[in-house]
Amino acid sequence: MSYKLRGHKLLHHQNEIKNWQDKKMFPPVFIEFGPVGGCNHRCVHCYVQNILNTPPEMMEPDVYLRFMREIGDYGVKAIVLAGVGEPLLHRTTPRAVETAVEHGTDVGMLSNGIPLTEKNIPTLLDNLTYIRFTVNGSNKINYAKTHQTSENDWDKLLKNLDMIANYKKKSKSKCTIGIYTVLFENNLPDLLKWVKHVKSLGLDYIIAKPPNVRMDNVKMFEQLKYEKNQETLEEIKNLTSENFHVELREDLFNDAQTTKKYSECLGLPFMCAVDSDGSIYTCNWYWREKKYLYGNLKNSTFKEIWESDQKKKVLEYVGNPDSGFDIKKCGACRQDNINLFLEGLKYGRVNPGEPEGEKPKHINFL
């Protein structure tokens, strides 16, 4: 079965598409949520380094759990715990995952894997739809350099990956376990060895891609060209098998991320981003920028904020070509393929019909 780790899955949500076309209110399909406003690592390419809190800001446990109940009751189909920090630093996270699932919301998680413990693995794997570990290195030296952490964390990571893989086999958990590796010149020499190790653990997939383009890492991005490293990259692609998938994002190499193929951000009604202080924003490119703030969970319910006049004002600002909002300043975005599709739909260039071919996994994670 396909994971469809690029493109979008919006065609599997025909009711929401119809509501969007009819300009009706509907709950977002998907939310990105950061319950922690800081991280135990400081990855060199991280796009939110300048706003990380030290010590990390944590969402209040009662707000955290109430929010997870509210979104399920409202009809939100999926949420991924990620945001600007490390979700497993919050002690409430395993319980919150369980709560969201009990109320009907699928939950995914992005983690660096270091705070993972033997105690919290069962609750996580018994409830998560997927968990994806960020590993931006191929050995302990380049891992420590890129994550700006101790080399000891590499050993801890390998131990934790082995532990979670063993639990999945033993429990027959349906949770998908993936790895996300950002490619740099320093981790390419041992990349094949690293991908082979991931496969040997029995994990489900690995995504390998260059870092997202942003003003502070364009130079780093330019150091890695597909043609120069094609032999190594083709070797890792060939490790794909019936039970293991390598998703090499060739589409993001060279200058592919620097050009927008659409002119309007139309996908905001389908998803949003929630920060550790309870603030709800348009998306994860505009954490803590007030122009893109819908409201705060400390003062209102999620449903109240989502249906508020303030959210309407923000969407009008983003949608007004004379407001000053410049979509060209956004980096590579989760919304890119959705916006391209919706713009085509808006102007009659594409058909909103039922998706063709094999149904991918995790359709609620757009």
Side-chain angles (χ1 to χ4, degrees):
M1 180 176 280
S2 167
Y3 292 106
K4 196 170 179 62
L5 297 169
R6 67 175 80 183
H8 69 87
K9 302 168 188 171
L10 197 55
L11 281 172
H12 296 277
H13 303 276
Q14 292 290 314
N15 288 339
E16 285 80 1
I17 292 174
K18 182 66 166 57
N19 284 334
W20 176 78
Q21 290 178 304
D22 293 341
K23 296 181 170 53
K24 292 181 179 179
M25 177 65 65
F26 59 94
V29 175
F30 170 79
I31 295 173
E32 177 170 347
F33 171 41
V36 180
C39 191
N40 52 316
H41 287 176
R42 287 291 185 274
C43 295
V44 295
H45 61 290
C46 180
Y47 79 108
V48 292
Q49 277 221 42
N50 61 326
I51 62 171
L52 291 176
N53 300 122
T54 305
E57 180 178 22
M58 307 277 185
M59 177 171 277
E60 293 92 334
D62 60 327
V63 178
Y64 195 169
L65 294 173
R66 172 173 61 81
F67 170 54
M68 299 301 256
R69 291 191 297 268
E70 285 178 357
I71 58 172
D73 295 344
Y74 185 39
V76 175
K77 295 180 179 179
I79 187 168
V80 64
L81 305 189
V84 305
E86 169 53 55
L88 286 177
L89 291 177
H90 203 306
R91 292 181 180 180
T92 307
T93 290
R95 183 181 168 198
V97 169
E98 198 170 31
T99 299
V101 172
E102 288 172 352
H103 285 256
T105 301
D106 293 342
V107 185
M109 182 182 294
L110 309 184
S111 170
N112 59 45
I114 301 305
L116 189 70
T117 65
E118 187 173 8
K119 181 181 178 181
N120 62 30
I121 285 177
T123 300
L124 295 174
L125 255 64
D126 292 350
N127 289 280
L128 288 171
T129 300
Y130 76 87
I131 184 167
R132 183 186 304 161
F133 297 102
T134 301
V135 187
N136 301 315
S138 53
N139 59 49
K140 68 167 53 182
I141 296 173
N142 59 51
Y143 171 83
K145 182 177 180 181
T146 303
H147 283 251
Q148 297 194 88
T149 189
S150 165
E151 291 182 9
N152 292 333
D153 273 0
W154 174 258
D155 298 323
K156 187 170 186 179
L157 171 73
L158 296 185
K159 178 182 176 183
N160 287 348
L161 290 179
D162 187 61
M163 192 162 52
I164 200 169
N166 285 335
Y167 179 83
K168 179 175 179 176
K169 293 172 188 173
K170 179 181 176 182
S171 67
K172 297 186 170 137
S173 166
K174 295 181 180 179
C175 177
T176 299
I177 304 176
I179 299 291
Y180 178 93
T181 296
V182 175
L183 303 176
F184 301 104
E185 292 285 358
N186 68 355
N187 64 23
L188 281 172
D190 282 337
L191 183 64
L192 184 62
K193 180 180 177 182
W194 165 239
V195 179
K196 286 181 176 179
H197 178 70
V198 172
K199 184 175 182 178
S200 73
L201 289 172
L203 305 190
D204 297 294
Y205 68 82
I206 184 169
I207 300 172
K209 62 180 285 294
N212 286 343
V213 173
R214 194 170 168 89
M215 290 299 292
D216 55 2
N217 66 18
V218 168
K219 183 177 180 181
M220 187 179 297
F221 167 74
E222 290 177 344
Q223 289 172 352
L224 190 64
K225 298 295 183 182
Y226 186 85
E227 295 76 14
K228 179 181 175 182
N229 302 286
Q230 187 168 357
E231 183 177 349
T232 298
L233 297 174
E234 291 294 331
E235 280 187 302
I236 70 165
K237 279 177 64 177
N238 290 335
L239 291 175
T240 290
S241 63
E242 183 179 354
N243 297 314
F244 181 71
H245 178 70
V246 177
E247 184 74 16
L248 178 65
R249 295 298 304 270
E250 305 101 319
D251 56 316
L252 299 179
F253 281 82
N254 301 330
D255 297 321
Q257 296 185 56
T258 59
T259 305
K260 291 291 183 189
K261 298 178 182 178
Y262 55 88
S263 59
E264 300 175 75
C265 188
L266 299 173
L268 297 181
F270 296 89
M271 63 178 73
C272 65
V274 180
D275 203 358
S276 57
D277 68 349
S279 296
I280 302 178
Y281 297 95
T282 52
C283 64
N284 63 2
W285 270 113
Y286 294 107
W287 296 114
R288 300 175 191 172
E289 294 195 28
K290 290 184 178 180
K291 284 189 294 187
Y292 306 96
L293 175 67
Y294 293 157
N296 194 288
L297 293 168
K298 293 178 182 177
N299 309 317
S300 308
T301 67
F302 180 81
K303 182 178 185 292
E304 288 170 343
I305 295 168
W306 191 251
E307 298 181 1
S308 67
D309 290 338
Q310 174 60 21
K311 175 181 164 247
K312 183 178 179 181
K313 289 177 183 177
V314 173
L315 294 185
E316 287 174 349
Y317 168 76
V318 173
N320 182 352
D322 299 320
S323 68
F325 174 74
D326 185 0
I327 202 167
K328 295 178 182 178
K329 292 183 179 179
C330 300
C333 172
R334 188 188 295 275
Q335 297 266 25
D336 281 341
N337 290 293
I338 289 175
N339 282 332
L340 188 63
F341 164 73
L342 290 174
E343 189 170 88
L345 188 59
K346 179 179 179 179
Y347 296 104
R349 297 192 295 266
V350 299
N351 191 315
E354 295 286 344
E356 298 178 354
E358 183 184 19
K359 183 179 179 179
K361 285 190 173 185
H362 313 160
I363 60 169
N364 292 334
F365 297 87
L366 298 179

mmCIF file of all heavy atoms in Angstrom, residues 27-29 62 64-79 94-107 127 364:
data_model
loop_
_atom_site.group_PDB
_atom_site.id
_atom_site.type_symbol
_atom_site.label_atom_id
_atom_site.label_comp_id
_atom_site.label_asym_id
_atom_site.label_seq_id
_atom_site.Cartn_x
_atom_site.Cartn_y
_atom_site.Cartn_z
ATOM 1 N N PRO A 27 -15.020 22.028 9.704
ATOM 2 C CA PRO A 27 -13.810 21.868 10.521
ATOM 3 C C PRO A 27 -12.600 21.591 9.638
ATOM 4 O O PRO A 27 -12.744 21.001 8.560
ATOM 5 C CB PRO A 27 -14.121 20.638 11.389
ATOM 6 C CG PRO A 27 -15.597 20.441 11.295
ATOM 7 C CD PRO A 27 -16.008 20.974 9.966
ATOM 8 N N PRO A 28 -11.419 21.974 10.063
ATOM 9 C CA PRO A 28 -10.234 21.614 9.288
ATOM 10 C C PRO A 28 -10.078 20.090 9.261
ATOM 11 O O PRO A 28 -10.443 19.408 10.219
ATOM 12 C CB PRO A 28 -9.087 22.278 10.056
ATOM 13 C CG PRO A 28 -9.597 22.383 11.458
ATOM 14 C CD PRO A 28 -11.073 22.638 11.325
ATOM 15 N N VAL A 29 -9.553 19.588 8.177
ATOM 16 C CA VAL A 29 -9.286 18.153 8.099
ATOM 17 C C VAL A 29 -8.098 17.806 8.977
ATOM 18 O O VAL A 29 -8.083 16.777 9.653
ATOM 19 C CB VAL A 29 -9.004 17.739 6.631
ATOM 20 C CG1 VAL A 29 -8.609 16.263 6.562
ATOM 21 C CG2 VAL A 29 -10.209 18.026 5.746
ATOM 22 N N ASP A 62 -4.164 20.824 31.311
ATOM 23 C CA ASP A 62 -5.625 20.841 31.187
ATOM 24 C C ASP A 62 -6.064 21.397 29.835
ATOM 25 O O ASP A 62 -7.033 20.916 29.228
ATOM 26 C CB ASP A 62 -6.254 21.630 32.346
ATOM 27 C CG ASP A 62 -5.802 23.075 32.398
ATOM 28 O OD1 ASP A 62 -4.641 23.353 32.028
ATOM 29 O OD2 ASP A 62 -6.600 23.938 32.809
ATOM 30 N N TYR A 64 -4.203 21.289 27.094
ATOM 31 C CA TYR A 64 -3.749 20.259 26.168
ATOM 32 C C TYR A 64 -4.825 19.174 25.992
ATOM 33 O O TYR A 64 -5.259 18.861 24.876
ATOM 34 C CB TYR A 64 -2.458 19.663 26.736
ATOM 35 C CG TYR A 64 -1.597 18.813 25.821
ATOM 36 C CD1 TYR A 64 -0.317 18.441 26.227
ATOM 37 C CD2 TYR A 64 -2.036 18.360 24.572
ATOM 38 C CE1 TYR A 64 0.509 17.666 25.439
ATOM 39 C CE2 TYR A 64 -1.221 17.585 23.767
ATOM 40 C CZ TYR A 64 0.046 17.230 24.213
ATOM 41 O OH TYR A 64 0.862 16.455 23.419
ATOM 42 N N LEU A 65 -5.285 18.623 27.088
ATOM 43 C CA LEU A 65 -6.261 17.533 27.033
ATOM 44 C C LEU A 65 -7.632 18.014 26.548
ATOM 45 O O LEU A 65 -8.311 17.316 25.780
ATOM 46 C CB LEU A 65 -6.378 16.873 28.404
ATOM 47 C CG LEU A 65 -5.117 16.136 28.879
ATOM 48 C CD1 LEU A 65 -5.282 15.673 30.320
ATOM 49 C CD2 LEU A 65 -4.794 14.960 27.973
ATOM 50 N N ARG A 66 -8.021 19.217 26.981
ATOM 51 C CA ARG A 66 -9.299 19.770 26.509
ATOM 52 C C ARG A 66 -9.268 19.971 25.001
ATOM 53 O O ARG A 66 -10.245 19.638 24.298
ATOM 54 C CB ARG A 66 -9.591 21.102 27.214
ATOM 55 C CG ARG A 66 -10.809 21.825 26.640
ATOM 56 C CD ARG A 66 -11.179 23.051 27.439
ATOM 57 N NE ARG A 66 -10.160 24.074 27.495
ATOM 58 C CZ ARG A 66 -9.932 24.966 26.527
ATOM 59 N NH1 ARG A 66 -10.636 24.926 25.390
ATOM 60 N NH2 ARG A 66 -8.997 25.886 26.678
ATOM 61 N N PHE A 67 -8.178 20.498 24.496
ATOM 62 C CA PHE A 67 -8.022 20.718 23.055
ATOM 63 C C PHE A 67 -8.133 19.404 22.280
ATOM 64 O O PHE A 67 -8.824 19.329 21.249
ATOM 65 C CB PHE A 67 -6.671 21.381 22.797
ATOM 66 C CG PHE A 67 -6.257 21.456 21.358
ATOM 67 C CD1 PHE A 67 -7.087 22.029 20.406
ATOM 68 C CD2 PHE A 67 -5.017 20.976 20.951
ATOM 69 C CE1 PHE A 67 -6.697 22.108 19.076
ATOM 70 C CE2 PHE A 67 -4.633 21.051 19.629
ATOM 71 C CZ PHE A 67 -5.463 21.616 18.685
ATOM 72 N N MET A 68 -7.494 18.354 22.781
ATOM 73 C CA MET A 68 -7.539 17.071 22.090
ATOM 74 C C MET A 68 -8.951 16.473 22.089
ATOM 75 O O MET A 68 -9.354 15.803 21.137
ATOM 76 C CB MET A 68 -6.545 16.091 22.719
ATOM 77 C CG MET A 68 -5.092 16.545 22.666
ATOM 78 S SD MET A 68 -4.514 16.823 20.970
ATOM 79 C CE MET A 68 -3.516 15.374 20.716
ATOM 80 N N ARG A 69 -9.702 16.744 23.128
ATOM 81 C CA ARG A 69 -11.103 16.298 23.144
ATOM 82 C C ARG A 69 -11.944 17.126 22.165
ATOM 83 O O ARG A 69 -12.770 16.586 21.422
ATOM 84 C CB ARG A 69 -11.685 16.424 24.563
ATOM 85 C CG ARG A 69 -11.103 15.462 25.579
ATOM 86 C CD ARG A 69 -11.919 15.471 26.868
ATOM 87 N NE ARG A 69 -11.902 16.762 27.540
ATOM 88 C CZ ARG A 69 -11.030 17.125 28.483
ATOM 89 N NH1 ARG A 69 -10.079 16.271 28.865
ATOM 90 N NH2 ARG A 69 -11.096 18.314 29.050
ATOM 91 N N GLU A 70 -11.738 18.436 22.201
ATOM 92 C CA GLU A 70 -12.561 19.349 21.401
ATOM 93 C C GLU A 70 -12.449 19.080 19.904
ATOM 94 O O GLU A 70 -13.456 19.099 19.196
ATOM 95 C CB GLU A 70 -12.155 20.797 21.669
ATOM 96 C CG GLU A 70 -12.627 21.336 23.008
ATOM 97 C CD GLU A 70 -12.142 22.760 23.239
ATOM 98 O OE1 GLU A 70 -11.403 23.301 22.381
ATOM 99 O OE2 GLU A 70 -12.522 23.322 24.274
ATOM 100 N N ILE A 71 -11.229 18.852 19.429
ATOM 101 C CA ILE A 71 -11.068 18.703 17.979
ATOM 102 C C ILE A 71 -11.764 17.439 17.474
ATOM 103 O O ILE A 71 -12.362 17.440 16.394
ATOM 104 C CB ILE A 71 -9.592 18.725 17.560
ATOM 105 C CG1 ILE A 71 -8.784 17.623 18.252
ATOM 106 C CG2 ILE A 71 -8.990 20.106 17.812
ATOM 107 C CD1 ILE A 71 -7.364 17.488 17.727
ATOM 108 N N GLY A 72 -11.707 16.370 18.258
ATOM 109 C CA GLY A 72 -12.400 15.151 17.856
ATOM 110 C C GLY A 72 -13.902 15.342 17.848
ATOM 111 O O GLY A 72 -14.599 14.938 16.914
ATOM 112 N N ASP A 73 -14.414 15.979 18.887
ATOM 113 C CA ASP A 73 -15.851 16.221 18.988
ATOM 114 C C ASP A 73 -16.342 17.169 17.890
ATOM 115 O O ASP A 73 -17.501 17.090 17.463
ATOM 116 C CB ASP A 73 -16.190 16.789 20.364
ATOM 117 C CG ASP A 73 -15.906 15.804 21.497
ATOM 118 O OD1 ASP A 73 -15.741 14.598 21.208
ATOM 119 O OD2 ASP A 73 -15.813 16.258 22.653
ATOM 120 N N TYR A 74 -15.452 18.059 17.437
ATOM 121 C CA TYR A 74 -15.817 19.022 16.394
ATOM 122 C C TYR A 74 -15.774 18.394 15.004
ATOM 123 O O TYR A 74 -16.459 18.843 14.088
ATOM 124 C CB TYR A 74 -14.871 20.216 16.470
ATOM 125 C CG TYR A 74 -15.178 21.366 15.550
ATOM 126 C CD1 TYR A 74 -16.489 21.783 15.290
ATOM 127 C CD2 TYR A 74 -14.146 22.067 14.925
ATOM 128 C CE1 TYR A 74 -16.764 22.852 14.445
ATOM 129 C CE2 TYR A 74 -14.398 23.140 14.083
ATOM 130 C CZ TYR A 74 -15.712 23.526 13.841
ATOM 131 O OH TYR A 74 -15.967 24.589 12.998
ATOM 132 N N GLY A 75 -14.968 17.342 14.843
ATOM 133 C CA GLY A 75 -14.892 16.680 13.547
ATOM 134 C C GLY A 75 -13.563 16.784 12.842
ATOM 135 O O GLY A 75 -13.457 16.433 11.655
ATOM 136 N N VAL A 76 -12.520 17.254 13.539
ATOM 137 C CA VAL A 76 -11.175 17.284 12.950
ATOM 138 C C VAL A 76 -10.701 15.846 12.765
ATOM 139 O O VAL A 76 -10.739 15.045 13.692
ATOM 140 C CB VAL A 76 -10.201 18.067 13.848
ATOM 141 C CG1 VAL A 76 -8.781 17.999 13.285
ATOM 142 C CG2 VAL A 76 -10.654 19.513 13.982
ATOM 143 N N LYS A 77 -10.241 15.519 11.580
ATOM 144 C CA LYS A 77 -9.921 14.126 11.265
ATOM 145 C C LYS A 77 -8.517 13.707 11.701
ATOM 146 O O LYS A 77 -8.294 12.531 12.014
ATOM 147 C CB LYS A 77 -10.085 13.891 9.763
ATOM 148 C CG LYS A 77 -11.529 14.038 9.280
ATOM 149 C CD LYS A 77 -11.632 13.800 7.789
ATOM 150 C CE LYS A 77 -13.071 13.933 7.312
ATOM 151 N NZ LYS A 77 -13.172 13.712 5.841
ATOM 152 N N ALA A 78 -7.565 14.633 11.687
ATOM 153 C CA ALA A 78 -6.187 14.240 12.014
ATOM 154 C C ALA A 78 -5.400 15.398 12.596
ATOM 155 O O ALA A 78 -5.652 16.570 12.278
ATOM 156 C CB ALA A 78 -5.479 13.707 10.767
ATOM 157 N N ILE A 79 -4.444 15.067 13.443
ATOM 158 C CA ILE A 79 -3.535 16.054 14.031
ATOM 159 C C ILE A 79 -2.150 15.431 14.104
ATOM 160 O O ILE A 79 -2.016 14.232 14.384
ATOM 161 C CB ILE A 79 -4.018 16.489 15.431
ATOM 162 C CG1 ILE A 79 -3.162 17.642 15.972
ATOM 163 C CG2 ILE A 79 -4.046 15.328 16.421
ATOM 164 C CD1 ILE A 79 -3.765 18.311 17.219
ATOM 165 N N PRO A 94 1.725 11.359 25.908
ATOM 166 C CA PRO A 94 1.130 10.021 25.696
ATOM 167 C C PRO A 94 -0.360 9.973 26.037
ATOM 168 O O PRO A 94 -1.162 9.407 25.283
ATOM 169 C CB PRO A 94 1.959 9.123 26.622
ATOM 170 C CG PRO A 94 3.280 9.808 26.726
ATOM 171 C CD PRO A 94 2.953 11.271 26.741
ATOM 172 N N ARG A 95 -0.737 10.583 27.156
ATOM 173 C CA ARG A 95 -2.148 10.615 27.550
ATOM 174 C C ARG A 95 -2.973 11.425 26.560
ATOM 175 O O ARG A 95 -4.109 11.065 26.237
ATOM 176 C CB ARG A 95 -2.269 11.190 28.955
ATOM 177 C CG ARG A 95 -3.696 11.200 29.504
ATOM 178 C CD ARG A 95 -3.732 11.816 30.886
ATOM 179 N NE ARG A 95 -5.089 12.099 31.325
ATOM 180 C CZ ARG A 95 -5.382 12.925 32.316
ATOM 181 N NH1 ARG A 95 -4.413 13.519 32.995
ATOM 182 N NH2 ARG A 95 -6.631 13.144 32.660
ATOM 183 N N ALA A 96 -2.404 12.507 26.057
ATOM 184 C CA ALA A 96 -3.115 13.360 25.096
ATOM 185 C C ALA A 96 -3.359 12.620 23.784
ATOM 186 O O ALA A 96 -4.429 12.763 23.173
ATOM 187 C CB ALA A 96 -2.327 14.639 24.843
ATOM 188 N N VAL A 97 -2.382 11.843 23.345
ATOM 189 C CA VAL A 97 -2.538 11.034 22.132
ATOM 190 C C VAL A 97 -3.712 10.076 22.303
ATOM 191 O O VAL A 97 -4.586 9.959 21.433
ATOM 192 C CB VAL A 97 -1.242 10.253 21.826
ATOM 193 C CG1 VAL A 97 -1.481 9.209 20.742
ATOM 194 C CG2 VAL A 97 -0.123 11.209 21.416
ATOM 195 N N GLU A 98 -3.748 9.407 23.430
ATOM 196 C CA GLU A 98 -4.811 8.456 23.740
ATOM 197 C C GLU A 98 -6.172 9.156 23.758
ATOM 198 O O GLU A 98 -7.165 8.646 23.225
ATOM 199 C CB GLU A 98 -4.516 7.825 25.098
ATOM 200 C CG GLU A 98 -5.243 6.546 25.391
ATOM 201 C CD GLU A 98 -4.708 5.884 26.650
ATOM 202 O OE1 GLU A 98 -4.257 6.607 27.573
ATOM 203 O OE2 GLU A 98 -4.761 4.655 26.719
ATOM 204 N N THR A 99 -6.225 10.351 24.353
ATOM 205 C CA THR A 99 -7.474 11.116 24.447
ATOM 206 C C THR A 99 -8.008 11.504 23.075
ATOM 207 O O THR A 99 -9.207 11.369 22.797
ATOM 208 C CB THR A 99 -7.247 12.383 25.296
ATOM 209 O OG1 THR A 99 -6.844 12.002 26.613
ATOM 210 C CG2 THR A 99 -8.510 13.225 25.372
ATOM 211 N N ALA A 100 -7.116 11.999 22.204
ATOM 212 C CA ALA A 100 -7.541 12.399 20.856
ATOM 213 C C ALA A 100 -8.130 11.222 20.091
ATOM 214 O O ALA A 100 -9.180 11.346 19.441
ATOM 215 C CB ALA A 100 -6.364 12.995 20.095
ATOM 216 N N VAL A 101 -7.478 10.087 20.180
ATOM 217 C CA VAL A 101 -7.955 8.894 19.472
ATOM 218 C C VAL A 101 -9.311 8.448 20.015
ATOM 219 O O VAL A 101 -10.218 8.080 19.259
ATOM 220 C CB VAL A 101 -6.918 7.757 19.576
ATOM 221 C CG1 VAL A 101 -7.468 6.451 19.010
ATOM 222 C CG2 VAL A 101 -5.634 8.143 18.838
ATOM 223 N N GLU A 102 -9.473 8.514 21.330
ATOM 224 C CA GLU A 102 -10.757 8.164 21.943
ATOM 225 C C GLU A 102 -11.891 9.047 21.429
ATOM 226 O O GLU A 102 -13.051 8.625 21.370
ATOM 227 C CB GLU A 102 -10.660 8.279 23.469
ATOM 228 C CG GLU A 102 -9.835 7.180 24.120
ATOM 229 C CD GLU A 102 -9.596 7.433 25.597
ATOM 230 O OE1 GLU A 102 -9.941 8.554 26.071
ATOM 231 O OE2 GLU A 102 -9.046 6.549 26.267
ATOM 232 N N HIS A 103 -11.564 10.282 21.054
ATOM 233 C CA HIS A 103 -12.576 11.227 20.578
ATOM 234 C C HIS A 103 -12.650 11.278 19.050
ATOM 235 O O HIS A 103 -13.318 12.156 18.490
ATOM 236 C CB HIS A 103 -12.326 12.612 21.168
ATOM 237 C CG HIS A 103 -12.726 12.711 22.611
ATOM 238 N ND1 HIS A 103 -13.880 13.342 23.018
ATOM 239 C CD2 HIS A 103 -12.146 12.230 23.740
ATOM 240 C CE1 HIS A 103 -13.995 13.255 24.333
ATOM 241 N NE2 HIS A 103 -12.949 12.578 24.801
ATOM 242 N N GLY A 104 -11.958 10.360 18.368
ATOM 243 C CA GLY A 104 -12.157 10.198 16.937
ATOM 244 C C GLY A 104 -11.170 10.864 16.017
ATOM 245 O O GLY A 104 -11.389 10.898 14.794
ATOM 246 N N THR A 105 -10.063 11.399 16.535
ATOM 247 C CA THR A 105 -9.057 12.055 15.702
ATOM 248 C C THR A 105 -7.832 11.159 15.540
ATOM 249 O O THR A 105 -7.293 10.661 16.534
ATOM 250 C CB THR A 105 -8.625 13.405 16.305
ATOM 251 O OG1 THR A 105 -9.776 14.256 16.436
ATOM 252 C CG2 THR A 105 -7.604 14.106 15.420
ATOM 253 N N ASP A 106 -7.381 10.963 14.306
ATOM 254 C CA ASP A 106 -6.130 10.255 14.065
ATOM 255 C C ASP A 106 -4.967 11.139 14.512
ATOM 256 O O ASP A 106 -4.993 12.364 14.307
ATOM 257 C CB ASP A 106 -5.964 9.950 12.577
ATOM 258 C CG ASP A 106 -6.983 8.940 12.064
ATOM 259 O OD1 ASP A 106 -7.574 8.232 12.890
ATOM 260 O OD2 ASP A 106 -7.170 8.862 10.838
ATOM 261 N N VAL A 107 -3.929 10.514 15.083
ATOM 262 C CA VAL A 107 -2.793 11.279 15.594
ATOM 263 C C VAL A 107 -1.480 10.752 14.999
ATOM 264 O O VAL A 107 -1.229 9.550 14.998
ATOM 265 C CB VAL A 107 -2.695 11.214 17.133
ATOM 266 C CG1 VAL A 107 -1.575 12.133 17.632
ATOM 267 C CG2 VAL A 107 -4.017 11.604 17.775
ATOM 268 N N ASN A 127 -1.762 3.749 19.844
ATOM 269 C CA ASN A 127 -2.710 4.804 19.485
ATOM 270 C C ASN A 127 -2.321 5.630 18.261
ATOM 271 O O ASN A 127 -3.209 6.084 17.529
ATOM 272 C CB ASN A 127 -2.905 5.753 20.673
ATOM 273 C CG ASN A 127 -3.690 5.115 21.800
ATOM 274 O OD1 ASN A 127 -4.912 5.043 21.753
ATOM 275 N ND2 ASN A 127 -2.991 4.644 22.822
ATOM 276 N N ASN A 364 -6.139 11.019 6.140
ATOM 277 C CA ASN A 364 -6.547 12.209 6.893
ATOM 278 C C ASN A 364 -5.390 13.169 7.143
ATOM 279 O O ASN A 364 -5.607 14.306 7.569
ATOM 280 C CB ASN A 364 -7.183 11.808 8.215
ATOM 281 C CG ASN A 364 -8.523 11.105 8.011
ATOM 282 O OD1 ASN A 364 -9.190 11.325 7.008
ATOM 283 N ND2 ASN A 364 -8.902 10.259 8.954
#
